[in-house]
Amino acid sequence: MKKFKTESKKLLDLMINSIYTNREIFLRELISNASDAVDKLYFRSLVDDAVKVNRAELGITVSYDADERSVTVSDNGLGMTKDELDKNLGTIAHSDSFEFKNDENEVRDNADVDIIGQFGVGFYSAFMVGKKVRVVSRALGSDEAWAWESNGVDGYTVSEAERAEHGTDVIVYLKDDTDDDGYSAFATEHRLRSLIKRYSNYVRYPIRMAVTTTCEIPVPEDAGDDALPATEERVELQVINSMIPIWKRNRSEVSQEEYDEFYKTDFHDFEAPARTVSLHAEGTLTYDALLFVPSHAPYDMYSKDYKKGLALYSSGVLIMEKCEELVPDHFNFVRGVVDSADLTLNISRETLQHDRQLRAIARRIEKKIKQDLVAMRDDDREAYDEFFKEFGRTMKFGVYSSYGMANDTLADLLLFYSAKQKKLITLDEYIADAPEGADSIFFATGDSIERMASTPLVTTVLAKGYDVLLCNENVDEFCMMALGSYAPSEPAVGEEEPKRFTIKNVSSEDLDLASADEKEQAEKATEENAELFAAMKEALGDRVEKVIVSTRVTEAPCVLTTEGAVSLKMAQMFKEAPDGGPEDAPAVRVVMEVNAAHPVFETLRAAQAAGDGEKVRIYTGILYDQALLIEGLPIDDALAYAKAVTHLMD
Ligand code: ADP
């Protein structure tokens, strides 16, 4: 007996102990695996002349044995080799990317759907109803069959078996009935039939079941006048599912429940989608598309393994499971299908990439998704906030990685945390709330929203009546830089054209918030203290460009601002990048802005006047390090800082 990998075992435990109460979905999961296997076979036959299949014969059979208390899902798909049985069913797919929380009870209580939703754990759901599961499979082109068997507790066996043709049978031996749970009901015609109808109606291959029908036997001619017709029970294989692709039907004819079930079955998600969008295009290019925005990001969304794409069909036949060309990177979370009779069947990856038709479809899809997201943003903000928490990063990254090309599509979809309103707001909302005459959108970057809200750089801008967008994701600053500026789509009342707002980091030197008078005063004070500032600059060396009197700080003794596009935080990110180092950090031009009204400034002036260069040097170093610490940035030499502070206390 082979043991399950640890993670698989833990997940099995959770499933079996019914973290997921909706056990009947096991059938949907097994059927969708079967359908995938048939799909794979059919696709193989399209690209490999040596593989010949008759499409009419492809399908899935569901059967049961009431005495043995078992349910069987069979398919004549691609099948699995011995190795594949071991690999595919012995470990939960990609389980190593998932970390179990330490406290399993916590998981049990509040994450029913989440935990399962994170994986393709479809097959394992069989153990929610089965005390034993046996999988007999024969791979296409192989003449041997193998049986995988497990009680779902700690391991499984793989042994030789018999199977006439390629394909797979999954036999679920039902658990014993208890007072609360009647598992036996699953081994009935009625129940299985209704589950197939309910969950798997749109599976594209026929799902057949032996159905008992009662028919009348005609009364023979020579029977007496009052002879009654006898009845006979016949068992015949019937196709249970409708198979008409759901995407071909009009939105008005299909209920949201049906869309949800289709989505869950075909895209292996345990949660219904957040949005469903259907699209029917006619004309030079005829196609149907059905798109979904998931409710949650898949666990691998932000990893390199994640593959975007929509399933591509030609007249109901799957050509490609994930056609990347159909969705832009910034909407890579969208799942769905596109079906067009106008696309040729024998398309290869290369030709697809250059296909003009495909590009036309992709453009239309992008527009449609945008429209739908705007509708969600405006009509159901709560849902949009949730959506944004899951996928906002992707869109922000899209702004950055397209070098601003996608700004028109994405900018008004973005949300940022407002320091004033203490919630996520759009750039339009920022502008609507901006003081009269404002022409900038201010943002700050840092690790924690709370801390950012109280840094001197932020509070001074807030004090002037402007809001600050608090950005705590690494991508934010890059996104803001790529945006550069923003203009609402509609002009404000009394305006001809919408005003364009410049997007500014609160740490940039040139915020332009001071009055001409304040600026003049600061410049004068800077000149008057030229000697002191030269000494301070010397103490800090390359770390700063210059030291000046600030027009903005009111409470802290000083702040560090930057000239040009690169902020301290950004330089820091380059240094910390997995393959980066100090030499990768772009040059950053730091300005130390001193608060002339602060008592520390007087102390420095006095030290300078008394010719105490050593004191000026030490104090300047401390001020610089403190300013970094306040902004949540690391200091170069913690030991030197500690020594200097200790020296002060002496
Ligand atoms: P998922 O289907 O999400 O990948 P499952 O746990 O349901 O996860 O299945 C694991 C793997 O086992 C599948 O990816 C597939 O390779 C294989 N598999 C499951 N059922 C079948 C089947 N009926 N025919 C062929 N392969 C199957």
Side-chain angles (χ1 to χ4, degrees):
M1 154 129 14
K2 285 207 182 188
K3 294 229 179 315
F4 284 114
K5 293 254 165 80
T6 330
E7 304 85 350
S8 311
K9 180 158 163 40
K10 282 187 188 165
L11 187 60
L12 270 167
D13 276 353
L14 289 172
M15 295 196 70
I16 293 161
N17 295 314
S18 96
I19 54 163
Y20 198 80
T21 41
N22 203 3
R23 297 184 173 156
E24 63 194 26
I25 57 99
F26 83 95
L27 191 68
R28 170 183 85 194
E29 296 304 308
L30 297 183
I31 288 176
S32 71
N33 278 350
S35 163
D36 288 349
V38 176
D39 254 347
K40 282 180 200 159
L41 173 67
Y42 189 63
F43 182 63
R44 184 77 72 81
S45 76
L46 295 177
V47 295
D48 183 350
D49 289 340
V51 179
K52 299 218 177 332
V53 296
N54 178 351
R55 185 162 156 83
E57 279 170 11
L58 294 175
I60 300 156
T61 310
V62 174
S63 56
Y64 64 94
D65 183 327
D67 299 331
E68 200 184 49
R69 301 180 67 260
S70 70
V71 175
T72 301
V73 177
S74 299
D75 66 71
N76 50 10
L78 203 55
M80 283 178 275
T81 61
K82 186 184 178 195
D83 274 358
E84 283 165 344
L85 276 171
D86 188 47
K87 197 177 82 210
N88 296 341
L89 307 184
T91 24
I92 284 170
H94 322 293
S95 51
D96 47 14
S97 343
F98 179 83
E99 278 174 27
F100 271 86
K101 296 191 193 167
N102 289 333
D103 181 1
E104 282 182 18
N105 291 324
E106 189 190 329
V107 176
R108 245 168 248 224
D109 289 346
N110 58 28
D112 268 25
V113 182
D114 263 354
I115 191 168
I116 299 181
Q118 301 206 31
F119 307 92
V121 288
F123 170 75
Y124 289 85
S125 63
F127 291 103
M128 298 196 296
V129 297
K131 59 180 173 191
K132 184 174 93 177
V133 177
R134 180 176 161 86
V135 181
V136 179
S137 195
R138 178 168 159 184
L140 179 77
S142 163
D143 46 17
E144 44 186 48
W146 292 90
W148 178 101
E149 215 173 279
S150 169
N151 59 4
V153 178
D154 40 26
Y156 58 94
T157 57
V158 178
S159 55
E160 273 178 73
E162 297 278 322
R163 200 176 195 279
E165 272 190 76
H166 59 84
T168 305
D169 311 303
V170 179
I171 308 146
V172 181
Y173 297 92
L174 297 169
K175 291 184 186 183
D176 299 329
D177 290 336
T178 65
D179 291 343
D180 299 331
D181 291 303
Y183 297 97
S184 295
F186 288 120
T188 61
E189 181 184 313
H190 172 75
R191 188 72 184 278
L192 290 173
R193 225 181 127 108
S194 73
L195 289 180
I196 294 170
K197 269 269 171 223
R198 170 129 170 245
Y199 292 114
S200 311
N201 201 27
Y202 295 107
V203 167
R204 290 173 299 283
Y205 298 96
I207 303 170
R208 297 191 174 86
M209 229 185 107
V211 174
T212 323
T213 46
T214 316
C215 48
E216 281 186 10
I217 302 168
V219 183
E221 299 266 324
D222 53 0
D225 275 352
D226 32 73
L228 289 171
T231 56
E232 184 188 62
E233 296 221 315
R234 274 198 211 147
V235 177
E236 56 184 31
L237 268 188
Q238 270 183 14
V239 175
I240 311 293
N241 55 331
S242 88
M243 289 190 293
I244 300 167
I246 192 169
W247 55 81
K248 288 218 179 284
R249 298 180 54 187
N250 270 333
R251 174 120 214 190
S252 56
E253 291 170 12
V254 186
S255 70
Q256 188 57 44
E257 285 70 40
E258 284 178 278
Y259 280 128
D260 291 352
E261 278 315 323
F262 168 76
Y263 167 77
K264 289 195 255 182
T265 310
D266 255 48
F267 297 98
H268 300 272
D269 197 340
F270 278 73
E271 235 181 301
R275 304 291 286 187
T276 305
V277 180
S278 74
L279 180 62
H280 305 281
E282 269 169 36
T284 36
L285 192 56
T286 304
Y287 59 90
D288 304 287
L290 183 57
L291 311 168
F292 300 100
V293 175
S295 309
H296 60 101
Y299 70 94
D300 62 350
M301 176 92 200
Y302 295 106
S303 81
K304 283 206 198 82
D305 298 333
Y306 182 75
K307 274 187 72 184
K308 63 164 184 165
L310 302 178
L312 182 62
Y313 290 83
S314 174
S315 308
V317 174
L318 182 71
I319 311 181
M320 196 178 284
E321 216 166 330
K322 281 198 173 169
C323 180
E324 291 178 42
E325 288 75 15
L326 286 171
V327 269
D329 283 341
H330 49 258
F331 291 150
N332 70 0
F333 45 83
V334 173
R335 315 292 309 268
V337 302
V338 172
D339 189 348
S340 173
D342 299 340
L343 293 171
T344 46
L345 248 184
N346 44 8
I347 327 182
S348 72
R349 280 224 138 257
E350 277 70 23
T351 56
L352 260 183
Q353 264 162 13
H354 306 288
D355 199 302
R356 285 183 47 228
Q357 296 176 318
L358 213 59
R359 282 207 302 271
I361 299 177
R363 271 197 302 275
R364 178 83 193 277
I365 284 178
E366 178 178 5
K367 276 217 187 89
K368 193 80 183 171
I369 298 169
K370 160 87 194 227
Q371 257 173 24
D372 191 71
L373 294 178
V374 166
M376 171 158 55
R377 181 197 68 195
D378 296 344
D379 306 338
D380 189 355
R381 187 54 177 271
E382 215 174 297
Y384 190 76
D385 282 359
E386 282 305 309
F387 152 79
F388 198 82
K389 278 179 200 143
E390 296 292 321
F391 303 112
R393 226 164 101 192
T394 301
M395 297 196 293
K396 290 179 191 167
F397 193 75
V399 168
Y400 165 62
S401 62
S402 66
Y403 302 104
M405 304 265 286
N407 286 6
D408 286 350
T409 309
L410 298 175
D412 62 348
L413 291 175
L414 302 179
L415 298 180
F416 298 97
Y417 190 86
S418 149
K420 247 189 184 175
Q421 304 185 33
K422 301 201 168 33
K423 62 176 188 189
L424 292 169
I425 63 168
T426 62
L427 295 177
D428 284 301
E429 286 159 355
Y430 181 99
I431 288 171
D433 189 48
E436 183 95 25
D439 53 11
S440 304
I441 295 173
F442 296 107
F443 73 95
T445 57
D447 297 328
S448 119
I449 299 275
E450 292 73 37
R451 196 158 63 180
M452 258 185 281
S454 56
T455 61
L457 288 176
V458 171
T459 51
T460 50
V461 176
L462 285 173
K464 301 239 180 211
Y466 299 91
D467 197 358
V468 178
L469 301 173
L470 305 178
C471 301
N472 66 343
E473 287 189 310
N474 277 349
V475 67
D476 286 333
E477 189 166 356
F478 295 95
C479 168
M480 290 302 206
M481 221 164 78
L483 281 175
S485 64
Y486 178 78
S489 51
E490 302 284 324
V493 201
E495 272 178 7
E496 293 252 314
E497 293 252 318
K499 181 157 83 180
R500 189 155 272 282
F501 283 63
T502 311
I503 297 180
K504 285 187 184 162
N505 192 331
V506 292
S507 75
S508 57
E509 193 215 356
D510 171 33
L511 280 191
D512 221 10
L513 286 181
S515 66
D517 218 32
E518 287 169 321
K519 273 190 212 165
E520 201 182 312
Q521 266 185 8
E523 273 162 28
K524 218 168 119 214
T526 304
E527 267 167 45
E528 283 166 8
N529 292 285
E531 251 176 66
L532 169 64
F533 289 159
M536 291 173 76
K537 153 80 183 123
E538 198 185 312
L540 294 171
D542 288 348
R543 289 181 286 176
V544 299
E545 280 296 287
K546 58 182 179 186
V547 182
I548 58 168
V549 167
S550 182
T551 54
R552 61 168 109 179
V553 264
T554 49
E555 280 170 30
C558 80
V559 291
L560 299 176
T561 61
T562 46
E563 289 177 324
V566 182
S567 72
L568 277 164
K569 168 85 184 157
M570 188 180 279
Q572 186 59 30
M573 269 186 304
F574 275 101
K575 273 190 221 168
E576 284 172 356
D579 44 6
E583 63 284 352
D584 293 308
V588 43
R589 298 203 303 275
V590 180
V591 178
M592 180 181 243
E593 293 191 17
V594 176
N595 178 357
H598 199 280
V600 165
F601 184 62
E602 276 318 309
T603 312
L604 279 165
R605 274 161 54 103
Q608 175 72 14
D612 191 348
E614 181 65 4
K615 190 167 181 180
V616 170
R617 199 181 59 74
I618 294 176
Y619 280 30
T620 304
I622 294 177
L623 282 179
Y624 175 85
D625 283 347
Q626 274 183 349
L628 284 178
L629 290 172
I630 289 171
E631 292 301 321
L633 292 161
I635 55 178
D636 292 338
D637 189 345
L639 189 64
Y641 173 75
K643 268 192 185 152
V645 173
T646 317
H647 175 75
L648 250 187
M649 292 157 92
D650 277 350

